[in-house]
Amino acid sequence: MTNKTGGSLRSAAWFGLQDKDGFIHRSWMKNQGFPSNLFDGRPVVGICNTWSELVPCNAHFRLVADRVKRGVYEAGGFPLEFPVMSLGESNLRPTAMLFRNLVSMDVEESIRGNPLDGVVLLCGCDKTTPSLMMGAASCDLPALVVSGGAMLNGNFRGQPIGSGTNVWTMSEDVRAGKMSCADFMDAESCMSRSAGHCMTMGTASTMACMAEALGMGMPQNAAIPAVDSRRYVLAQEAGRRIVEMVRDNVKMSQILTRRAFENAIRVNATIGGSTNAVLHLLALAGRVGVKLELDDFDRLGHDLPLLVNLMPSGKFLMEDFYYAGGVPAVVRALGELIDRDALTVNGKTMGENTADAPCWNAEVIHSRENPLREHAGIAVLRGNLAPGGALVKPSAATPRLLKHRGRAVVFSDIEDFKQRVDDPALDIDENSVMVLKGAGPKGYPGMPEVGNMPLPKKLLQRGITDVVRVSDGRMSGTAYGTVVLHVTPESAAGGALALVQGGDEIELDVEARKLQLCIADEELARRRKAWTPPRPGTKGGYQRLYVEHVLQADQGVDLDFLVGCRGADVPRESH
Ligand code: FES
């Protein structure tokens, strides 16, 4: 009942007792038909499952869990599957992000309170990956991510269509009168035609790539499609491997080092990854005590080229990415920019895993000599409008708008936006800057993906496809446009965004990393003095806890009391 480093397994504190408590722990488990030899001191592996029919991206996870179990049994472990709250982007309101931290608590306490020696995290839809990694990191047991994989490529009337990205383009086409509503509805079943998560380089795919780049997933974990048989082979191998990790006592903190985060930031830049990865990596680093700052994303990533030609920054989809070589091919292409000594969950270093990784399609995964776009990583902006920082994703933006000064058209919240955006009397043109308030962590609450505000009909009908947009919200990783996000401090916390008035000029200069409200300091101070905070819109419950404790975007939007690792010491007995 010890691991190779001489420590005893946690599970022995439950199943190894020869007394009343041991009886209780074993006897009740035996009602599931587990034979006595499974309680002989072998590693007990939790399979943290986010299966849910309400989360279509994770609806196939029982099959994935079964394959992980096979692997655990093969390696001499005892697998025990357990559910946690699942978060789906397509159904959950007001936003899945509101519950990321809640799920991380669910995961953390489920692991710590139970007889587990290690855990496999089944991740898929956007928030399920960070929330599971954050919760597990606060326990620091051996842990391994198995992603569910992306859907097969969408295909509508012979043309590839990508989750999210083509929802935005087609819905703009409907509003511009270029596509009929009936055709739009026809595309629904053509877009989502197999199990799996969004198959663009949205947040789910990005976070799967981040898990692999961090070393938390086995090689190719991110890109194998959900329905590809190799997804199930990987799950089984992961089951075998987690048992070895428990025996070798390879803790999460040995994988999630500063060098792992730096690798992830660089991979995120070159894959055209989601801006949401910034929040999730900052929050995850906070759980393991790695010092990571918002500016690291700009410093380490901005100057890197875009290598991966996937929507929304490019034209291909995740299936193509897997066939072209996936994350290992990207890591290999990054050469000396990657810390090759970083340890990964399969026991090898990142360098060992990727030294010979082939690229089978240079149109999907470009080389550094022939990139898709230069300087494509996330840029961190500052100025009087965002002293705590704001983000823009140049790879998904219109290059000419990356330096722009325009008149603000201000929406006080998303309801105000929806009510007025298509009003023919709205005073807006292609040079305007659309500003949305009230979409931050406290303000919404939960920081929804509304920053990529749809353009007004009257601009779309004139063929305008992008204008600068600024908000304290997020945008879907599948979205695109010259969209400035995560403005910090947010408007509900008294940030300068709250003080912007219609007609003010706003200057965006990405090269100079500047986001400036062009009014005099005295005027800004006058408005600040007159500003009154919005009345809290929550009725209590979890939302109240969230609003009272949530950190701002530059700190990853974690709850202040969840930051850090609390370990996995065996708790006191329950009886
Ligand atoms: Fe689940 Fe996009 S809705 S990954």
Side-chain angles (χ1 to χ4, degrees):
M1 292 189 192
T2 58
N3 56 37
K4 282 186 186 163
T5 56
S8 50
L9 297 183
R10 294 179 84 244
S11 57
W14 280 260
F15 298 146
L17 303 175
Q18 298 303 312
D19 59 10
K20 168 244 334 162
D21 292 319
F23 179 104
I24 291 171
H25 296 311
R26 288 184 301 270
S27 174
W28 265 261
M29 290 297 281
K30 287 178 177 177
N31 80 348
Q32 298 176 78
F34 293 129
S36 292
N37 68 308
L38 289 180
F39 302 91
D40 62 2
R42 65 189 65 204
V44 179
V45 172
I47 302 172
C48 181
N49 201 343
T50 46
W51 169 85
S52 168
E53 287 183 337
L54 287 167
V55 181
C57 309
N58 298 19
H60 60 300
F61 276 20
R62 282 166 155 179
L63 290 173
V64 180
D66 279 346
R67 296 309 174 98
V68 175
K69 281 183 197 171
R70 277 192 199 180
V72 173
Y73 279 125
E74 278 174 353
F78 179 12
L80 291 169
E81 185 183 345
F82 65 98
V84 289
M85 182 183 180
S86 192
L87 304 177
E89 296 300 312
S90 58
N91 286 326
L92 199 55
R93 296 181 182 188
T95 168
M97 184 65 176
L98 176 63
F99 306 107
R100 183 199 65 179
N101 303 332
L102 178 65
V103 173
S104 79
M105 278 198 278
D106 184 352
V107 172
E108 177 183 344
E109 302 304 339
S110 294
I111 293 173
R112 186 179 299 115
N114 277 299
L116 300 177
D117 302 309
V119 63
V120 174
L121 309 169
L122 300 192
C123 305
C125 197
D126 298 17
K127 305 301 175 293
T128 55
T129 304
S131 57
L132 267 55
M133 286 203 289
M134 287 161 64
S138 284
C139 292
D140 199 22
L141 289 178
L144 191 160
V145 169
V146 172
S147 299
M151 289 186 266
L152 296 177
N153 291 356
N155 193 293
F156 180 52
R157 299 179 180 171
Q159 296 302 316
I161 52 171
S163 323
T165 305
N166 286 115
V167 178
W168 319 130
T169 58
M170 290 188 292
S171 99
E172 299 279 68
D173 282 350
V174 172
R175 297 174 67 241
K178 293 193 229 161
M179 185 181 198
S180 74
C181 191
D183 284 352
F184 184 41
M185 296 299 134
D186 259 5
E188 277 180 14
S189 43
C190 306
M191 179 171 286
S192 310
R193 64 191 186 93
S194 81
H197 61 69
C198 290
M199 83 308 264
T200 41
M201 189 53 81
T203 305
S205 302
T206 298
M207 289 312 297
C209 292
M210 293 299 89
E212 191 173 330
L214 285 165
M216 285 299 303
M218 310 272 278
Q220 294 298 4
N221 174 62
I224 303 174
V227 296
D228 193 307
S229 55
R230 289 165 285 188
R231 168 69 52 198
Y232 293 92
V233 174
L234 184 143
Q236 192 161 335
E237 286 172 348
R240 287 187 211 133
R241 177 60 198 155
I242 188 69
V243 177
E244 287 174 19
M245 288 175 72
V246 170
R247 292 197 171 118
D248 294 343
N249 200 24
V250 182
K251 292 183 176 175
M252 217 167 157
S253 55
Q254 289 167 255
I255 310 278
L256 292 180
T257 57
R258 168 83 194 181
R259 57 173 39 154
F261 282 95
E262 293 191 359
N263 283 347
I265 289 172
R266 290 190 164 113
V267 168
N268 191 46
T270 51
I271 62 175
S274 166
T275 45
N276 287 319
V278 176
L279 302 174
H280 302 324
L281 291 177
L282 285 171
L284 181 60
R287 297 299 183 101
V288 282
V290 167
K291 193 166 155 24
L292 196 69
E293 292 173 349
L294 182 58
D295 289 325
D296 287 327
F297 289 81
D298 195 315
R299 195 174 54 76
L300 297 167
H302 176 71
D303 285 336
L304 297 188
L306 178 67
L307 300 184
V308 175
N309 191 0
L310 254 63
M311 294 183 198
S313 299
K315 66 175 183 180
F316 293 101
L317 295 165
M318 282 300 281
E319 216 185 313
D320 309 305
F321 184 48
Y322 176 50
Y323 304 146
V327 171
V330 174
V331 170
R332 186 182 179 192
L334 281 169
E336 79 291 350
L337 293 172
I338 289 288
D339 189 325
R340 313 192 88 70
D341 294 331
L343 183 64
T344 77
V345 285
N346 72 349
K348 297 183 178 163
T349 64
M350 187 58 74
E352 288 168 338
N353 282 339
T354 58
D356 302 316
C359 171
W360 301 110
N361 188 338
E363 215 192 329
V364 178
I365 302 175
H366 285 232
S367 65
R368 277 165 71 196
E369 295 69 41
N370 179 33
L372 205 57
R373 197 186 255 195
E374 296 283 5
H375 311 297
I378 284 161
V380 176
L381 311 167
R382 289 185 199 273
N384 66 354
L385 192 47
L391 299 184
V392 68
K393 181 177 166 183
S395 67
T398 304
R400 73 178 165 76
L401 288 175
L402 293 175
K403 186 173 169 60
H404 181 79
R405 182 170 170 147
R407 206 169 40 86
V409 177
V410 179
F411 302 98
S412 57
D413 56 31
I414 196 67
E415 286 73 28
D416 179 38
F417 167 78
K418 286 180 178 169
Q419 202 180 1
R420 294 198 292 128
V421 63
D422 287 334
D423 183 344
L426 185 69
D427 184 14
I428 191 166
D429 62 27
E430 60 270 42
N431 296 316
S432 303
V433 174
M434 294 167 71
V435 174
L436 176 65
K437 305 180 183 183
K442 289 177 190 290
Y444 203 73
M447 209 181 179
E449 295 183 332
V450 294
N452 55 314
M453 290 166 266
L455 300 193
K457 234 182 212 175
K458 67 179 185 184
L459 293 190
L460 291 169
Q461 285 164 347
R462 286 180 44 218
I464 311 293
T465 54
D466 196 9
V467 302
V468 174
R469 286 157 272 182
V470 177
S471 80
D472 45 10
R474 299 179 299 122
M475 77 171 175
S476 163
T478 64
Y480 53 87
T482 312
V483 184
V484 176
L485 302 156
H486 307 188
V487 168
T488 304
E490 63 170 302
S491 56
L497 191 68
L499 312 177
V500 181
Q501 295 178 357
D504 289 345
E505 293 229 313
I506 290 177
E507 184 188 359
L508 168 67
D509 186 342
V510 175
E511 205 182 323
R513 303 295 194 274
K514 188 169 160 193
L515 183 68
Q516 192 76 6
L517 179 61
C518 306
I519 61 172
D521 291 347
E522 300 72 38
E523 171 62 10
L524 198 60
R526 190 192 64 73
R527 291 185 194 176
R528 187 175 301 286
K529 214 168 159 197
W531 180 76
T532 49
R535 292 232 314 269
T538 68
K539 292 187 183 138
Y542 169 70
Q543 286 201 13
R544 183 155 128 203
L545 181 79
Y546 181 90
V547 168
E548 287 175 358
H549 292 278
V550 71
L551 298 168
Q552 290 289 286
D554 59 336
Q555 295 173 76
V557 197
D558 204 353
L559 300 184
D560 53 11
F561 60 87
L562 290 176
V563 174
C565 174
R566 289 162 281 282
D569 288 349
V570 174
R572 297 157 85 181
E573 261 300 357
S574 52
H575 291 87

